[in-house]
Amino acid sequence: MLEFRREGIYCAQGNFYIDPWLPVDYAIITHAHADHARIGMKQYLCHELTAPILKLRLGQDIKVQTLDYNQAIEINSVKVSLHPAGHLIGSAQVRLEFQGKVTVVSGDYKIQDDGVSTPFEPVRCHEFISESTFGLPIYNWLPVDEINQNLGEWVANNKRNGNNSIIIGYALGKAQRIMRALEGFDDLYVHYAISRINAAFTESGISLPSYKTIDFNDRPKDMKGEIIIVPPSLFGSNILKNIPNAQTAICSGWMQVRGARRWRSADAGFAISDHADWPGLLTAVRETAAEKVYVTHGFKAEFSRYLNEIGVEAEEITTAFGSEEETDEQLIKE
């Protein structure tokens, strides 16, 4: 049902693309990270909670149609519906059905319920298009409650020692998860790029922990024992260096590997990820009961090879997915 074209993943029967990376007439968007949602499409279709973020990033005048989860429409005789991906608020898997054949494009996803996003729901299909960002056995996340507790204990220890806690996480998705993990602690200060995302979500009825937007031109030198959440783009910047008595933590799945924290010169690292770990990827594939899996990005050679070894037909495909950093960069510059 799908073709992998220069513009992106194409459904010929429906005459639309899913997360295309070049301008097309009709794009179905799984979520609003910059590697999956790009400017220049004549029309967008996405989950209703993704639309405000698309407009924030791409412009208020873009043409956007929205669906709720499990709501189906027909596009040129192809039945299309969106299903929770668990990646971040509003993220969706795209289910396509045509003449009895079902294909699911998962976008980015995670199996763990982070308490913020609508939890992942497996969708049975004949073909499954999967990421493999962390498609190696070494990536095996701790339970959400345990990793949240570890982060909270680190923050509490910093406060006892009079240190500010600077926490690095993507403005869209990761920051909201960090906020929820630290809900109930003292005031949460966030960079204005995060504040803009938060405002778009709260306007759509999403409840988030209370926070304050930090003014880096005013407050940092007076802060003591505070929690400050910022995007990765600020890591190592003079802005953060001006905050006194600061301890810095990176929240990323890459922190599962101890050497990654040393490489980034952070004081702490927490393997908090919005992507599926190795067991999660395998669980998703198994629960779809897919006859064939297409692997889009990440450790796709390793993951597809393993699937073939265990009897699941899998194939690597080349895409432009895999870097979410552009989203934060754009929000900071605007």
Side-chain angles (χ1 to χ4, degrees), residues 121-181:
E121 290 182 5
V123 181
R124 293 181 69 87
C125 56
H126 299 96
E127 294 180 332
F128 184 57
I129 289 76
S130 175
E131 62 146 310
S132 60
T133 302
F134 294 104
L136 291 177
I138 191 174
Y139 295 107
N140 194 332
W141 313 142
L142 293 174
V144 171
D145 289 346
E146 184 174 348
I147 194 68
N148 288 352
Q149 180 180 347
N150 292 344
L151 177 61
E153 289 175 351
W154 179 80
V155 167
N157 185 63
N158 287 339
K159 186 174 182 64
R160 284 192 296 270
N161 294 327
N163 293 324
N164 292 305
S165 298
I166 299 176
I167 304 174
I168 309 294
Y170 288 120
L172 173 56
K174 191 69 62 65
Q176 293 74 36
R177 182 173 174 183
I178 294 168
M179 290 173 61
R180 183 58 54 83

Side-chain angles (χ1 to χ4, degrees), residues 274-295:
D274 293 328
H275 296 266
D277 59 3
W278 175 260
L281 291 168
L282 294 176
T283 296
V285 168
R286 181 176 64 253
E287 292 185 344
T288 65
E291 299 167 0
K292 183 165 185 178
V293 177
Y294 294 93
V295 185

Side-chain angles (χ1 to χ4, degrees), residues 98-284:
F98 180 74
Q99 296 182 351
K101 183 174 183 179
V102 176
T103 298
V104 171
V105 182
S106 61
D108 289 334
Y109 64 92
K110 72 173 179 296
I111 302 303
Q112 284 188 323
D113 181 357
D114 61 17
V116 181
S117 312
T118 303
F120 177 90
E121 290 182 5
V123 181
R124 293 181 69 87
C125 56
H126 299 96
E127 294 180 332
F128 184 57
I129 289 76
S130 175
E131 62 146 310
S132 60
T133 302
F134 294 104
L136 291 177
I138 191 174
Y139 295 107
N140 194 332
W141 313 142
L142 293 174
V144 171
D145 289 346
E146 184 174 348
I147 194 68
N148 288 352
Q149 180 180 347
N150 292 344
L151 177 61
E153 289 175 351
W154 179 80
V155 167
N157 185 63
N158 287 339
K159 186 174 182 64
R160 284 192 296 270
N161 294 327
N163 293 324
N164 292 305
S165 298
I166 299 176
I167 304 174
I168 309 294
Y170 288 120
L172 173 56
K174 191 69 62 65
Q176 293 74 36
R177 182 173 174 183
I178 294 168
M179 290 173 61
R180 183 58 54 83
L182 297 176
E183 188 172 13
F185 282 73
D186 289 339
D187 291 335
L188 303 177
Y189 289 88
V190 305
H191 186 273
Y192 86 94
I194 298 171
S195 180
R196 293 177 68 193
I197 294 288
N198 291 348
F201 280 139
T202 54
E203 288 173 8
S204 298
I206 297 296
S207 176
L208 294 172
S210 61
Y211 64 93
K212 298 179 180 179
T213 304
I214 187 171
D215 182 353
F216 283 101
N217 295 317
D218 182 22
R219 290 294 304 282
K221 293 181 180 179
D222 299 328
M223 302 182 95
K224 184 177 181 180
E226 304 292 356
I227 303 168
I228 306 160
I229 306 170
V230 300
S233 306
L234 268 67
F235 183 73
S237 68
N238 289 331
I239 291 175
L240 297 188
K241 291 177 181 177
N242 288 332
I243 299 176
N245 303 316
Q247 293 285 299
T248 302
I250 297 175
C251 292
S252 167
W254 302 114
M255 297 301 104
Q256 179 86 18
V257 181
R258 190 178 299 274
R261 176 164 60 87
R262 291 198 296 267
W263 178 64
R264 295 299 300 269
S265 302
D267 299 298
F270 297 93
I272 298 176
S273 179
D274 293 328
H275 296 266
D277 59 3
W278 175 260
L281 291 168
L282 294 176
T283 296

